Amino acid sequence: MLRSLLALLPLLVTACAPMPPAETASAEEPGVVCEREIRTGSHMTSKHCRSAEQRDKERAEAQSFGDNVRATPPGGQAPGR
């Protein structure tokens, strides 16, 4: 029993290892960064490549969404609606 637990220990340690840092795409596509992302509820990773323009747009949309959530009173409607 102890031997089987010791044999599984390296697998458990590597399963909890952090993801590698973002990888830069080829020199043919300047400004494109590829990242491996883990979907919620899964151990599978997927690779997503985005340009600087796409990343800025996503960041602005997330900021706008957060601002709207904070501006909405609990149980009420957003101002101006």
Side-chain angles (χ1 to χ4, degrees):
M1 173 96 176
L2 182 59
R3 286 185 183 187
S4 61
L5 289 176
L6 290 175
L8 290 176
L9 184 62
L11 293 175
L12 294 173
V13 170
T14 56
C16 298
M19 293 300 297
E23 305 167 359
T24 305
S26 66
E28 298 172 12
E29 303 175 60
V32 175
V33 175
C34 297
E35 298 175 328
R36 294 208 170 267
E37 298 177 357
I38 299 176
R39 292 183 174 246
T40 302
S42 175
H43 294 290
M44 304 282 294
T45 62
S46 57
K47 185 176 181 180
H48 294 279
C49 297
R50 296 178 186 92
S51 67
E53 189 175 282
Q54 289 171 320
R55 289 190 310 268
D56 291 342
K57 181 181 175 186
E58 288 176 3
R59 188 174 298 120
E61 288 174 355
Q63 182 68 41
S64 174
F65 178 79
D67 292 343
N68 289 340
V69 168
R70 284 187 291 277
T72 304
Q77 295 235 344
R81 289 190 183 184

